[in-house]
Coordinates of all heavy atoms in Angstrom, one line a residue:
V268 N -2.3 -2.6 -16.0 CA -1.2 -2.1 -15.2 C -0.2 -1.4 -16.2 O 0.2 -2.0 -17.2 CB -0.5 -3.2 -14.5 CG1 0.7 -2.7 -13.7 CG2 -1.4 -4.0 -13.6
S269 N 0.1 -0.1 -15.9 CA 1.0 0.6 -16.8 C 2.0 1.4 -16.0 O 1.8 1.7 -14.8 CB 0.2 1.5 -17.7 OG -0.5 2.5 -17.0
F270 N 3.2 1.6 -16.6 CA 4.2 2.5 -15.9 C 5.1 3.0 -17.0 O 5.0 2.6 -18.2 CB 5.0 1.7 -14.9 CG 5.9 0.6 -15.5 CD1 7.3 0.9 -15.6 CD2 5.5 -0.6 -15.9 CE1 8.1 0.0 -16.1 CE2 6.3 -1.5 -16.5 CZ 7.7 -1.2 -16.6
T271 N 6.0 3.9 -16.7 CA 7.0 4.4 -17.6 C 8.3 3.8 -17.4 O 8.8 3.8 -16.3 CB 7.0 6.0 -17.5 OG1 5.7 6.5 -17.8 CG2 8.0 6.5 -18.5
L272 N 8.9 3.3 -18.4 CA 10.3 2.8 -18.4 C 11.2 3.8 -19.1 O 10.9 4.2 -20.2 CB 10.4 1.4 -19.1 CG 11.8 0.8 -19.1 CD1 12.1 0.3 -17.7 CD2 11.8 -0.4 -20.0
T273 N 12.3 4.2 -18.5 CA 13.2 5.2 -19.0 C 14.6 4.6 -19.0 O 15.1 4.1 -18.0 CB 13.2 6.5 -18.3 OG1 11.8 7.0 -18.2 CG2 14.1 7.5 -18.9
N274 N 15.3 4.7 -20.2 CA 16.7 4.4 -20.2 C 17.5 5.6 -19.8 O 17.6 6.6 -20.5 CB 17.1 4.0 -21.7 CG 18.5 3.6 -21.9 OD1 19.4 3.9 -21.0 ND2 18.8 2.9 -22.9
T275 N 18.1 5.5 -18.6 CA 18.7 6.6 -17.9 C 20.2 6.6 -18.1 O 20.9 7.4 -17.5 CB 18.4 6.6 -16.4 OG1 18.7 5.3 -15.9 CG2 16.9 6.9 -16.2
G276 N 20.7 5.6 -18.9 CA 22.2 5.5 -19.1 C 22.7 6.1 -20.4 O 21.9 6.8 -21.1
K277 N 23.9 5.7 -20.8 CA 24.5 6.3 -22.0 C 24.5 5.3 -23.2 O 24.9 5.7 -24.2 CB 26.0 6.6 -21.7 CG 26.2 7.6 -20.6 CD 27.6 7.9 -20.3 CE 27.8 9.0 -19.2 NZ 29.3 9.2 -18.9
F278 N 23.9 4.1 -23.0 CA 23.9 3.1 -24.0 C 22.5 2.8 -24.4 O 21.6 2.7 -23.5 CB 24.6 1.8 -23.6 CG 26.1 2.0 -23.3 CD1 26.5 2.3 -22.0 CD2 27.1 1.8 -24.3 CE1 27.9 2.5 -21.8 CE2 28.4 2.0 -24.1 CZ 28.8 2.3 -22.8
D279 N 22.2 2.5 -25.7 CA 21.0 1.9 -26.1 C 20.9 0.5 -25.4 O 22.0 -0.2 -25.3 CB 20.9 1.7 -27.6 CG 21.0 3.1 -28.3 OD1 20.8 4.1 -27.6 OD2 21.2 3.1 -29.5
G280 N 19.8 0.0 -25.1 CA 19.7 -1.3 -24.5 C 18.3 -1.9 -24.3 O 17.3 -1.2 -24.6
E281 N 18.3 -3.1 -23.9 CA 17.0 -3.8 -23.7 C 16.8 -4.2 -22.2 O 17.8 -4.5 -21.5 CB 17.0 -5.1 -24.5 CG 17.0 -5.0 -26.0 CD 17.3 -6.3 -26.7 OE1 18.4 -6.8 -26.7 OE2 16.3 -6.8 -27.3
E282 N 15.6 -4.0 -21.8 CA 15.3 -4.4 -20.4 C 14.1 -5.4 -20.4 O 13.2 -5.3 -21.2 CB 14.8 -3.2 -19.6 CG 14.3 -3.5 -18.2 CD 15.3 -3.9 -17.2 OE1 16.3 -4.5 -17.6 OE2 15.2 -3.6 -16.0
V283 N 14.3 -6.5 -19.7 CA 13.2 -7.5 -19.5 C 12.4 -7.0 -18.3 O 12.9 -7.2 -17.1 CB 13.8 -8.9 -19.3 CG1 12.6 -9.9 -19.1 CG2 14.6 -9.3 -20.5
V284 N 11.3 -6.4 -18.5 CA 10.4 -6.0 -17.5 C 9.6 -7.1 -17.0 O 8.9 -7.8 -17.8 CB 9.5 -4.8 -18.0 CG1 8.5 -4.4 -16.9 CG2 10.3 -3.7 -18.5
Q285 N 9.6 -7.4 -15.7 CA 8.9 -8.5 -15.1 C 7.8 -8.1 -14.2 O 7.9 -7.3 -13.3 CB 10.0 -9.4 -14.3 CG 11.1 -9.8 -15.2 CD 12.4 -10.2 -14.4 OE1 12.3 -10.9 -13.4 NE2 13.5 -9.7 -14.9
L286 N 6.6 -8.8 -14.4 CA 5.4 -8.5 -13.6 C 5.2 -9.7 -12.7 O 5.0 -10.8 -13.2 CB 4.2 -8.2 -14.5 CG 2.9 -7.9 -13.7 CD1 2.1 -6.9 -14.5 CD2 2.1 -9.1 -13.4
Y287 N 5.2 -9.5 -11.4 CA 4.9 -10.5 -10.4 C 3.6 -10.2 -9.7 O 3.3 -9.0 -9.5 CB 6.0 -10.6 -9.4 CG 7.4 -11.1 -10.0 CD1 8.2 -10.1 -10.5 CD2 7.7 -12.4 -10.0 CE1 9.5 -10.5 -11.1 CE2 8.9 -12.8 -10.6 CZ 9.8 -11.8 -11.1 OH 11.0 -12.2 -11.6
L288 N 2.9 -11.2 -9.3 CA 1.7 -11.0 -8.5 C 1.8 -11.8 -7.2 O 2.5 -12.9 -7.1 CB 0.4 -11.5 -9.2 CG 0.0 -10.7 -10.5 CD1 -1.2 -11.4 -11.1 CD2 -0.3 -9.3 -10.1
R289 N 1.2 -11.3 -6.1 CA 1.1 -12.0 -4.9 C -0.3 -12.0 -4.4 O -1.0 -11.0 -4.3 CB 2.0 -11.4 -3.8 CG 1.9 -12.2 -2.5 CD 2.8 -11.8 -1.4 NE 2.7 -12.7 -0.2 CZ 3.4 -12.6 0.9 NH1 4.3 -11.6 1.0 NH2 3.3 -13.4 1.9
D290 N -0.9 -13.2 -4.3 CA -2.2 -13.5 -3.8 C -2.1 -13.5 -2.3 O -1.4 -14.4 -1.7 CB -2.7 -14.8 -4.3 CG -4.2 -15.0 -4.0 OD1 -4.7 -14.3 -3.2 OD2 -4.8 -16.0 -4.6
Q291 N -2.6 -12.4 -1.6 CA -2.4 -12.2 -0.2 C -2.9 -13.3 0.7 O -2.3 -13.7 1.7 CB -2.9 -10.9 0.2 CG -2.4 -9.7 -0.6 CD -1.1 -9.2 -0.2 OE1 -0.2 -10.0 0.3 NE2 -0.8 -7.9 -0.3
V292 N -4.1 -13.8 0.4 CA -4.7 -14.9 1.2 C -5.4 -15.9 0.3 O -6.2 -15.4 -0.6 CB -5.7 -14.3 2.2 CG1 -6.4 -15.4 3.0 CG2 -5.1 -13.3 3.1
G293 N -5.2 -17.2 0.5 CA -5.9 -18.1 -0.3 C -6.4 -19.3 0.5 O -6.1 -19.5 1.6
S294 N -7.2 -20.1 -0.2 CA -7.7 -21.3 0.5 C -6.6 -22.4 0.7 O -6.7 -23.3 1.5 CB -8.8 -22.0 -0.3 OG -8.4 -22.3 -1.6
V295 N -5.5 -22.2 -0.1 CA -4.3 -22.9 0.2 C -3.2 -21.9 0.2 O -3.3 -20.8 -0.5 CB -4.0 -24.0 -0.9 CG1 -5.0 -25.1 -0.8 CG2 -4.0 -23.4 -2.3
V296 N -2.1 -22.1 0.8 CA -1.0 -21.1 0.9 C -0.5 -20.8 -0.5 O -0.4 -21.7 -1.4 CB 0.1 -21.5 1.8 CG1 -0.4 -21.5 3.2 CG2 0.8 -22.8 1.4
R297 N -0.2 -19.5 -0.8 CA 0.3 -19.1 -2.1 C 1.7 -18.6 -2.0 O 2.2 -18.1 -0.9 CB -0.6 -17.9 -2.6 CG -2.1 -18.2 -2.6 CD -2.4 -19.4 -3.5 NE -2.0 -19.1 -4.9 CZ -1.3 -19.9 -5.6 NH1 -0.9 -21.1 -5.2 NH2 -0.9 -19.6 -6.9
P298 N 2.5 -18.6 -3.1 CA 3.9 -18.2 -3.0 C 4.0 -16.7 -2.7 O 3.1 -15.9 -2.9 CB 4.4 -18.4 -4.5 CG 3.4 -19.5 -5.0 CD 2.1 -19.2 -4.4

């Protein structure tokens, strides 16, 4: 999985990029 992250502001900075998954259907309910 890839994407482009761009700092669009006026300051240098750090971003915590978070990857979430959702299992759409399971044998038990999923978050």
Side-chain angles (χ1 to χ4, degrees):
V268 178
S269 62
F270 73 99
T271 300
L272 181 70
T273 304
N274 183 339
T275 53
K277 298 178 181 179
F278 296 89
D279 300 345
E281 295 168 287
E282 172 73 327
V283 178
V284 177
Q285 301 159 47
L286 182 146
Y287 297 87
L288 292 178
R289 180 172 186 180
D290 190 345
Q291 304 280 31
V292 178
S294 59
V295 294
V296 294
R297 307 297 302 129

